[in-house]
Amino acid sequence: MRIAVFGSDGQLGTDFVATVKQGGQDCVPLTIEDVDLTNAPRVEDLLRKLRPDVVVNCAALHDVGQCEEKPALATAVNRDAVGMLSRLCGEMDAKLLTISTDYVFDGTKIEGYTEDDSPNPINQYGVSKLAGERLALANNPKTFVVRTQSLYGVSQLRGKKTNFVDLVLKLSKERDELKVDQCRMAPTGTACLAENLYQLLCSDRYGLYHMSCQGATTWYEFARKIVDLIGAKIRVTPVPNDFFPKNFRRPENTYLINQGLAHAGLDFMPSWEESLRHYLTARGVLA
Ligand SMILES: NC(=O)c1ccc[n+]([C@@H]2O[C@H](COP(=O)([O-])OP(=O)(O)OC[C@H]3O[C@@H](n4cnc5c(N)ncnc54)[C@H](OP(=O)(O)O)[C@@H]3O)[C@@H](O)[C@H]2O)c1
């Protein structure tokens, strides 16, 4: 099976490519340097030459503040490029797996969201990702759209932004106090996410799925857990969710429930605590 992976050097893309290679598949990793997804003719030309059996799209403009400042770019990457990939996959009879986000929801449902809940994005990122989801599902019957959330992974390529876990590790050496808000979600390691995405795409259970680690927590509780596990002395203080000013509206409770995966018998995601321990071990922080 030939699998072309866009966004292959991102957090998720890096772990996904490793998983595909471990599975012995013919993997074609693609970065923005190979092809910019906003360049539709180049992408079409490339895919028609590659003739992949599966296209996996881990690429996105997911800096939420940047999406607010550059809505046209957010639309081009998160909606139009996904629409173009799904159209091409449909024409080539290829599977498409594209990643979406908890930010398609408005965050007002405290008990968590299933695939049956109605999206209601409250910022440009969420609007553009939801539009991409809809095109992906409409253009190609062999599409998986997978919403996930609050990712952290080992990829630290090309000076990319530090993920939350690494930020806490860093600040716990530099500061006495860490202030953290209490937005509710399930932090999800990209290593286990990549393995579960691979299982899903080997199936023919197409459609929309939620895929995040099990169990809801808050960013504050997550930070506390990291600090406890590494035995750091830093004080972790909860602050209101609007404590750090942002240029976008932020959904406050976006815990995703993996209902669709459970119904398909394909929910093998670990708890967020187990995923965190695995990550800290992989980073050499825990034995
Ligand atoms: N990170 C999260 O917490 C989170 C939460 C929910 C959902 N998601 C979704 O999960 C997926 C993976 O996220 P991630 O955290 O792995 O993101 P990431 O580390 O930023 O990776 C995204 C990749 O997309 C590439 N990219 C951006 N614009 C592109 C373009 N025009 N053409 C080709 N490649 C382009 C980026 O390249 P450059 O860096 O070189 O621009 C980067 O390699 C995305 O769909 C995201 O929306 C992420």
Tab-separated table of all heavy atoms in Angstrom, residues 95-127:
chain	number	residue	atom	x	y	z
A	95	LYS	N	-7.956	6.157	-0.817
A	95	LYS	CA	-8.501	6.544	0.487
A	95	LYS	C	-7.903	7.896	0.891
A	95	LYS	O	-6.745	8.180	0.574
A	95	LYS	CB	-8.085	5.535	1.563
A	95	LYS	CG	-8.699	4.160	1.456
A	95	LYS	CD	-8.215	3.310	2.645
A	95	LYS	CE	-8.768	1.901	2.594
A	95	LYS	NZ	-8.346	1.087	3.758
A	96	LEU	N	-8.673	8.677	1.646
A	96	LEU	CA	-8.145	9.914	2.253
A	96	LEU	C	-8.390	9.857	3.749
A	96	LEU	O	-9.502	9.528	4.192
A	96	LEU	CB	-8.846	11.153	1.679
A	96	LEU	CG	-8.487	12.479	2.382
A	96	LEU	CD1	-7.040	12.883	2.115
A	96	LEU	CD2	-9.432	13.606	1.949
A	97	LEU	N	-7.350	10.169	4.507
A	97	LEU	CA	-7.523	10.375	5.951
A	97	LEU	C	-7.039	11.784	6.253
A	97	LEU	O	-5.883	12.120	5.976
A	97	LEU	CB	-6.708	9.351	6.753
A	97	LEU	CG	-6.966	9.299	8.260
A	97	LEU	CD1	-6.555	7.942	8.827
A	97	LEU	CD2	-6.231	10.389	9.019
A	98	THR	N	-7.930	12.617	6.772
A	98	THR	CA	-7.543	13.993	7.072
A	98	THR	C	-7.900	14.316	8.525
A	98	THR	O	-8.895	13.810	9.058
A	98	THR	CB	-8.165	14.997	6.061
A	98	THR	OG1	-7.581	16.280	6.251
A	98	THR	CG2	-9.680	15.110	6.210
A	99	ILE	N	-7.054	15.138	9.146
A	99	ILE	CA	-7.180	15.379	10.582
A	99	ILE	C	-7.937	16.678	10.835
A	99	ILE	O	-7.649	17.710	10.216
A	99	ILE	CB	-5.786	15.468	11.251
A	99	ILE	CG1	-4.903	14.273	10.847
A	99	ILE	CG2	-5.919	15.554	12.771
A	99	ILE	CD1	-5.437	12.923	11.256
A	100	SER	N	-8.883	16.620	11.765
A	100	SER	CA	-9.598	17.827	12.158
A	100	SER	C	-9.460	18.045	13.670
A	100	SER	O	-8.569	17.459	14.294
A	100	SER	CB	-11.053	17.789	11.689
A	100	SER	OG	-11.634	19.075	11.838
A	101	THR	N	-10.345	18.824	14.225
A	101	THR	CA	-10.068	19.388	15.543
A	101	THR	C	-11.304	19.503	16.429
A	101	THR	O	-12.432	19.640	15.924
A	101	THR	CB	-9.466	20.804	15.359
A	101	THR	OG1	-9.333	21.438	16.624
A	101	THR	CG2	-10.348	21.690	14.486
A	102	ASP	N	-11.077	19.501	17.737
A	102	ASP	CA	-12.123	19.794	18.723
A	102	ASP	C	-12.644	21.227	18.589
A	102	ASP	O	-13.733	21.540	19.068
A	102	ASP	CB	-11.580	19.572	20.148
A	102	ASP	CG	-10.295	20.332	20.435
A	102	ASP	OD1	-9.544	20.636	19.482
A	102	ASP	OD2	-10.040	20.639	21.608
A	103	TYR	N	-11.862	22.101	17.940
A	103	TYR	CA	-12.264	23.507	17.830
A	103	TYR	C	-13.410	23.729	16.832
A	103	TYR	O	-13.809	24.858	16.596
A	103	TYR	CB	-11.050	24.373	17.476
A	103	TYR	CG	-10.299	24.856	18.704
A	103	TYR	CD1	-10.171	24.050	19.829
A	103	TYR	CD2	-9.713	26.120	18.743
A	103	TYR	CE1	-9.484	24.477	20.953
A	103	TYR	CE2	-9.033	26.558	19.874
A	103	TYR	CZ	-8.915	25.740	20.963
A	103	TYR	OH	-8.241	26.180	22.081
A	104	VAL	N	-13.950	22.644	16.254
A	104	VAL	CA	-15.193	22.810	15.474
A	104	VAL	C	-16.377	23.027	16.425
A	104	VAL	O	-17.456	23.430	15.992
A	104	VAL	CB	-15.498	21.606	14.544
A	104	VAL	CG1	-14.404	21.435	13.509
A	104	VAL	CG2	-15.714	20.319	15.338
A	105	PHE	N	-16.175	22.780	17.732
A	105	PHE	CA	-17.243	22.956	18.719
A	105	PHE	C	-17.074	24.291	19.465
A	105	PHE	O	-15.974	24.830	19.538
A	105	PHE	CB	-17.243	21.789	19.712
A	105	PHE	CG	-17.566	20.468	19.081
A	105	PHE	CD1	-16.614	19.462	18.980
A	105	PHE	CD2	-18.835	20.230	18.550
A	105	PHE	CE1	-16.906	18.253	18.375
A	105	PHE	CE2	-19.137	19.009	17.939
A	105	PHE	CZ	-18.172	18.022	17.858
A	106	ASP	N	-18.189	24.745	20.052
A	106	ASP	CA	-18.119	26.035	20.751
A	106	ASP	C	-17.675	25.896	22.207
A	106	ASP	O	-17.443	26.895	22.899
A	106	ASP	CB	-19.454	26.803	20.647
A	106	ASP	CG	-20.634	26.041	21.255
A	106	ASP	OD1	-20.414	25.122	22.074
A	106	ASP	OD2	-21.785	26.373	20.896
A	107	GLY	N	-17.576	24.667	22.700
A	107	GLY	CA	-17.009	24.455	24.038
A	107	GLY	C	-17.968	24.712	25.179
A	107	GLY	O	-17.548	24.881	26.328
A	108	THR	N	-19.274	24.692	24.892
A	108	THR	CA	-20.246	24.944	25.954
A	108	THR	C	-20.796	23.648	26.571
A	108	THR	O	-21.549	23.700	27.537
A	108	THR	CB	-21.445	25.764	25.414
A	108	THR	OG1	-21.980	25.074	24.279
A	108	THR	CG2	-21.013	27.159	25.004
A	109	LYS	N	-20.406	22.498	26.027
A	109	LYS	CA	-20.954	21.225	26.521
A	109	LYS	C	-19.916	20.567	27.450
A	109	LYS	O	-18.941	19.956	26.988
A	109	LYS	CB	-21.268	20.315	25.321
A	109	LYS	CG	-22.110	19.121	25.700
A	109	LYS	CD	-22.525	18.316	24.482
A	109	LYS	CE	-23.192	17.031	24.945
A	109	LYS	NZ	-22.895	15.894	24.099
A	110	ILE	N	-20.151	20.687	28.737
A	110	ILE	CA	-19.130	20.296	29.715
A	110	ILE	C	-18.873	18.790	29.699
A	110	ILE	O	-17.743	18.346	29.888
A	110	ILE	CB	-19.547	20.767	31.126
A	110	ILE	CG1	-19.633	22.281	31.072
A	110	ILE	CG2	-18.545	20.312	32.198
A	110	ILE	CD1	-19.838	23.007	32.307
A	111	GLU	N	-19.896	18.001	29.441
A	111	GLU	CA	-19.727	16.536	29.537
A	111	GLU	C	-19.005	15.925	28.341
A	111	GLU	O	-18.738	14.723	28.340
A	111	GLU	CB	-21.088	15.862	29.756
A	111	GLU	CG	-22.107	16.100	28.662
A	111	GLU	CD	-22.980	17.345	28.869
A	111	GLU	OE1	-22.477	18.371	29.388
A	111	GLU	OE2	-24.159	17.300	28.488
A	112	GLY	N	-18.675	16.702	27.349
A	112	GLY	CA	-17.908	16.187	26.220
A	112	GLY	C	-18.740	16.025	24.963
A	112	GLY	O	-19.974	15.980	25.021
A	113	TYR	N	-18.043	15.933	23.827
A	113	TYR	CA	-18.692	15.912	22.517
A	113	TYR	C	-18.499	14.573	21.817
A	113	TYR	O	-17.403	14.021	21.782
A	113	TYR	CB	-18.089	16.991	21.615
A	113	TYR	CG	-18.454	18.395	22.022
A	113	TYR	CD1	-17.624	19.128	22.873
A	113	TYR	CD2	-19.617	19.004	21.559
A	113	TYR	CE1	-17.953	20.426	23.246
A	113	TYR	CE2	-19.948	20.305	21.928
A	113	TYR	CZ	-19.118	21.003	22.767
A	113	TYR	OH	-19.444	22.280	23.130
A	114	THR	N	-19.592	14.074	21.231
A	114	THR	CA	-19.497	12.914	20.338
A	114	THR	C	-19.676	13.416	18.899
A	114	THR	O	-19.992	14.591	18.666
A	114	THR	CB	-20.601	11.873	20.628
A	114	THR	OG1	-21.850	12.395	20.159
A	114	THR	CG2	-20.674	11.533	22.101
A	115	GLU	N	-19.540	12.484	17.982
A	115	GLU	CA	-19.708	12.823	16.563
A	115	GLU	C	-21.146	13.247	16.270
A	115	GLU	O	-21.416	13.859	15.225
A	115	GLU	CB	-19.342	11.616	15.678
A	115	GLU	CG	-17.886	11.179	15.752
A	115	GLU	CD	-17.598	10.219	16.900
A	115	GLU	OE1	-18.452	10.050	17.804
A	115	GLU	OE2	-16.503	9.623	16.898
A	116	ASP	N	-22.086	12.933	17.161
A	116	ASP	CA	-23.488	13.313	16.938
A	116	ASP	C	-23.774	14.768	17.298
A	116	ASP	O	-24.834	15.297	16.956
A	116	ASP	CB	-24.424	12.418	17.784
A	116	ASP	CG	-24.386	10.978	17.325
A	116	ASP	OD1	-24.055	10.754	16.138
A	116	ASP	OD2	-24.669	10.080	18.138
A	117	ASP	N	-22.864	15.405	18.027
A	117	ASP	CA	-23.100	16.797	18.426
A	117	ASP	C	-22.880	17.749	17.250
A	117	ASP	O	-21.998	17.512	16.403
A	117	ASP	CB	-22.168	17.170	19.584
A	117	ASP	CG	-22.606	16.505	20.876
A	117	ASP	OD1	-23.771	16.694	21.260
A	117	ASP	OD2	-21.793	15.787	21.489
A	118	SER	N	-23.668	18.820	17.246
A	118	SER	CA	-23.558	19.779	16.137
A	118	SER	C	-22.371	20.700	16.347
A	118	SER	O	-22.255	21.323	17.412
A	118	SER	CB	-24.817	20.648	16.061
A	118	SER	OG	-25.916	19.840	15.808
A	119	PRO	N	-21.521	20.830	15.347
A	119	PRO	CA	-20.417	21.783	15.453
A	119	PRO	C	-20.940	23.221	15.465
A	119	PRO	O	-22.015	23.487	14.932
A	119	PRO	CB	-19.587	21.535	14.185
A	119	PRO	CG	-20.080	20.262	13.608
A	119	PRO	CD	-21.495	20.100	14.064
A	120	ASN	N	-20.172	24.091	16.060
A	120	ASN	CA	-20.507	25.519	16.077
A	120	ASN	C	-19.226	26.296	16.352
A	120	ASN	O	-19.016	26.787	17.456
A	120	ASN	CB	-21.552	25.799	17.169
A	120	ASN	CG	-21.968	27.264	17.176
A	120	ASN	OD1	-21.954	27.917	16.132
A	120	ASN	ND2	-22.286	27.798	18.350
A	121	PRO	N	-18.348	26.370	15.339
A	121	PRO	CA	-17.030	26.972	15.583
A	121	PRO	C	-17.140	28.456	15.922
A	121	PRO	O	-18.015	29.152	15.401
A	121	PRO	CB	-16.287	26.758	14.264
A	121	PRO	CG	-17.326	26.459	13.246
A	121	PRO	CD	-18.505	25.882	13.955
A	122	ILE	N	-16.239	28.906	16.788
A	122	ILE	CA	-16.296	30.303	17.245
A	122	ILE	C	-15.026	31.077	16.878
A	122	ILE	O	-14.807	32.172	17.365
A	122	ILE	CB	-16.565	30.382	18.769
A	122	ILE	CG1	-15.497	29.633	19.563
A	122	ILE	CG2	-17.972	29.863	19.094
A	122	ILE	CD1	-15.620	29.817	21.085
A	123	ASN	N	-14.190	30.483	16.037
A	123	ASN	CA	-13.030	31.227	15.538
A	123	ASN	C	-12.703	30.743	14.113
A	123	ASN	O	-13.265	29.753	13.637
A	123	ASN	CB	-11.822	31.087	16.485
A	123	ASN	CG	-11.502	29.626	16.791
A	123	ASN	OD1	-11.440	28.799	15.881
A	123	ASN	ND2	-11.321	29.315	18.070
A	124	GLN	N	-11.803	31.482	13.458
A	124	GLN	CA	-11.504	31.202	12.042
A	124	GLN	C	-10.893	29.821	11.849
A	124	GLN	O	-11.134	29.151	10.839
A	124	GLN	CB	-10.525	32.264	11.491
A	124	GLN	CG	-11.113	33.645	11.380
A	124	GLN	CD	-12.207	33.734	10.319
A	124	GLN	OE1	-12.278	32.915	9.390
A	124	GLN	NE2	-13.085	34.703	10.458
A	125	TYR	N	-10.088	29.401	12.797
A	125	TYR	CA	-9.485	28.063	12.714
A	125	TYR	C	-10.598	27.011	12.646
A	125	TYR	O	-10.629	26.161	11.744
A	125	TYR	CB	-8.571	27.843	13.916
A	125	TYR	CG	-8.027	26.437	14.048
A	125	TYR	CD1	-7.175	25.891	13.088
A	125	TYR	CD2	-8.346	25.650	15.163
A	125	TYR	CE1	-6.666	24.594	13.230
A	125	TYR	CE2	-7.839	24.368	15.305
A	125	TYR	CZ	-7.006	23.842	14.340
A	125	TYR	OH	-6.508	22.568	14.485
A	126	GLY	N	-11.515	27.071	13.614
A	126	GLY	CA	-12.602	26.100	13.658
A	126	GLY	C	-13.484	26.163	12.425
A	126	GLY	O	-13.890	25.122	11.882
A	127	VAL	N	-13.770	27.385	11.957
A	127	VAL	CA	-14.606	27.547	10.747
A	127	VAL	C	-13.930	26.897	9.552
A	127	VAL	O	-14.544	26.136	8.788
A	127	VAL	CB	-14.872	29.051	10.482
A	127	VAL	CG1	-15.454	29.276	9.086
A	127	VAL	CG2	-15.797	29.636	11.547
